[in-house]
Amino acid sequence: CDARSSRPQARAQTPEPAMLLSLAGLALAATLAVTEVKAGPGSLCDARYECKYHFQTDTDLWFFDFSNLCQPNGYYSALQDGRPGTNFTFNICGKSSQVCPQFNNNPFLPTQGVAIQNYGSTCVLAAEGAPFYQVRDPKNPETGGINITHDAAPEQIDDPNRCTPLPDGTSVFRSTTFMFTCDKSVQTLQATGAYEESECKYVIRIRSAFGCGRIYDGPDSKAAEDKEAGERGAEAGAVIGFMILGGILFVIVWAGIFYYYHREIPFSIPFVGNLARTPAAPSGGGFGASGSGFGASGAGGSYAPTA
């Protein structure tokens, strides 16, 4: 919870040089309640951290993605309202680069977290673990803002910075909520301050375009389904067009063949009967029904030998 001048400072060990540099930077930030990024070694972004959140309304599926806010080598900072000596370092989708001294030199206790509270020369983990998302205005996910809450493990029983236990002795853990206000003019993140909502429960106010929801248009979305349906419709239309064109070409080719073989013979019904030309009846002499020769009728004569 907040700094108390009368509280024992069991964690107030001699700060290491890196810790002194961090505190000096925080003192400089005391004049500004805005975002500050510190450099540090290694990547602090946590691949296990779920940086994307979907929110379903009656009509649409809304989407928030905070992946690009992670500082891989540093942190953001915010001052606590009315307490210039109390501030927070934090990260989104990762851990703050600030490292707290180990309590009682216990190597099993964490020294880094999503958010760290500093007062005097003491720092405590104010948030760690998985995020819990809550849209601030369910009727207006686009501009109503969103909260991201992280809990922290309870301090050890003998830790003088321990939150006040419940009446039955149950330990109380710290938690920090990043309260995002939709501000499309802030393309990254601006921390405007912090306050203690109740003992050991902190809220950091943030303005950012990342706090604005947008309608999901990724895989399995309605937009993707509509696009896929449109593409299938276009493909089907193209197939039908090619079939129609092929049918027209087929008719043209067979009409040409038909005309070629029947150009001299009247033919009223296309493609009926033999496509070959019908031979004409003979008109010359021979054994026909008419003509000259030895037919039943026609020119003939008697045969008489001559001397």
Side-chain angles (χ1 to χ4, degrees), residues 72 81 137 181 204 209 238 249:
D81 299 347
D137 184 358
T181 295
I204 297 176
L249 292 176

Side-chain angles (χ1 to χ4, degrees), residues 63-291:
F63 182 59
F64 297 83
D65 186 355
F66 300 92
S67 305
N68 291 334
L69 284 181
C70 181
Q71 295 293 333
N73 301 305
Y75 56 71
Y76 302 97
S77 65
L79 300 176
Q80 184 164 329
D81 299 347
R83 303 187 67 89
T86 302
N87 48 60
F88 296 84
T89 67
F90 64 94
N91 205 345
I92 306 295
C93 299
K95 295 180 179 180
S96 167
S97 62
Q98 184 181 352
V99 180
C100 289
Q102 288 180 331
F103 177 68
N104 289 340
N105 295 318
N106 187 341
F108 298 102
L109 297 179
T111 58
Q112 282 184 288
V114 177
I116 293 177
Q117 184 192 37
N118 297 278
Y119 46 90
S121 59
T122 298
C123 70
V124 294
L125 299 186
E128 54 185 325
F132 173 75
Y133 293 94
Q134 183 179 26
V135 173
R136 294 171 59 190
D137 184 358
K139 296 182 179 180
N140 181 23
E142 181 178 8
T143 60
I146 187 171
N147 289 341
I148 308 176
T149 301
H150 293 265
D151 295 330
E155 287 81 7
Q156 301 297 303
I157 295 178
D158 57 345
D159 189 338
N161 299 304
R162 183 187 181 197
C163 298
T164 304
L166 297 177
D168 61 359
T170 303
S171 297
V172 175
F173 52 81
R174 285 180 169 83
S175 71
T176 300
T177 296
F178 302 124
M179 187 174 69
F180 277 81
T181 295
C182 172
D183 188 341
K184 296 182 180 181
S185 67
V186 182
Q187 295 302 308
T188 53
L189 178 157
Q190 183 181 28
T192 59
Y195 63 93
E196 187 174 19
E197 189 174 37
S198 60
E199 184 182 7
C200 295
K201 309 299 180 185
Y202 311 106
V203 177
I204 297 176
R205 298 187 302 271
I206 296 173
R207 304 188 69 85
S208 173
F210 288 87
C212 309
R214 61 181 176 86
I215 295 177
Y216 178 66
D217 58 358
D220 299 326
S221 67
K222 184 178 183 300
E225 292 175 355
D226 291 344
K227 180 180 178 181
E228 184 178 355
E231 292 175 348
R232 289 198 300 266
E235 292 175 357
V239 171
I240 293 173
F242 280 117
M243 292 177 64
I244 293 174
L245 179 61
I248 293 173
L249 292 176
F250 178 84
V251 171
I252 292 174
V253 170
W254 279 101
I257 295 174
F258 179 81
Y259 173 75
Y260 177 79
Y261 282 102
H262 296 79
R263 62 185 182 275
E264 295 179 358
I265 301 175
F267 205 79
S268 59
I269 305 177
F271 304 107
V272 175
N274 191 347
L275 293 179
R277 297 179 63 185
T278 304
S283 58
F287 295 95
S290 62

